[in-house]
Amino acid sequence: MDQHTPPATQFGALPFRETRGGEVEFLLITSRGSGQWIIPKGKPIPDLTPQETAAREAFEEAGILGEVDPHPIGRFAYVKDQGQPTAQFIPAVEVFAMRMTQQLTLWPEMGQRSMVWLTPEQALHAIEIESLRKIVRRFANRFLKAR
């Protein structure tokens, strides 16, 4: 990281799974404030690494367990609670790919958000944050080339 790159203020997981046909799907959730489609993410958690924090957020917000790649796949900025009086600019969310191994039926924030598994094309259409779309597009392209 160079001196011009701000430190990450949040860490997020891009949960993915492979379908029986070998395609990739991404899990998106709605934010509680604006209701836009995003990925599980949150503030650093003391005593957890960035990727462990991303995994914890995926568990708490979506009931997803999985294997998190220790290397971030990108960063994005967004406005939290956009359109609300409490809106706040979040300058750097570091994103980690997370291969889903288990989807739980009960989790801490169950019922507080909607969630959906989408193909790359559907996810790109649903995500409003352009810098997050770029991360999803780049990961989907890498995933397809690796097969």
Side-chain angles (χ1 to χ4, degrees):
M1 178 168 32
D2 66 35
Q3 61 196 22
H4 302 292
T5 305
T9 53
Q10 291 191 353
F11 300 106
L14 177 60
F16 71 96
R17 68 182 182 188
E18 276 187 79
T19 66
R20 284 192 171 87
E23 301 300 317
V24 65
E25 291 181 330
F26 298 107
L27 178 85
L28 297 181
I29 62 172
T30 52
S31 68
R32 287 188 292 202
S34 66
Q36 68 180 326
W37 291 103
I38 57 168
I39 61 172
K41 63 190 169 20
K43 295 177 186 170
I45 299 172
D47 300 324
L48 294 186
T49 65
Q51 61 267 28
E52 289 169 342
T53 297
R56 172 79 61 87
E57 293 298 330
F59 160 70
E60 290 179 358
E61 296 180 3
I64 298 298
L65 302 178
E67 301 163 1
V68 180
D69 189 315
H71 306 288
I73 58 171
R75 283 179 168 224
F76 72 96
Y78 76 105
V79 177
K80 181 179 177 146
D81 298 334
Q82 190 167 358
Q84 308 290 320
T86 57
Q88 175 187 6
F89 179 68
I90 307 297
V93 179
E94 198 163 65
V95 180
F96 296 86
M98 179 179 184
R99 181 182 295 275
M100 188 271 297
T101 57
Q102 189 175 2
Q103 190 164 4
L104 305 174
T105 55
L106 297 172
W107 62 93
E109 295 183 22
M110 185 175 167
Q112 297 180 27
R113 308 163 185 277
S114 295
M115 56 189 267
V116 64
W117 286 98
L118 299 171
T119 65
E121 296 77 21
Q122 293 168 328
L124 293 171
H125 183 72
I127 297 168
E128 296 176 33
I129 302 165
E130 178 58 31
S131 51
L132 178 55
R133 273 202 305 263
K134 286 180 181 177
I135 293 168
V136 171
R137 185 179 299 115
R138 192 170 51 239
F139 182 82
N141 288 339
R142 264 195 356 229
F143 183 88
L144 294 172
K145 286 179 184 168
R147 292 184 351 178

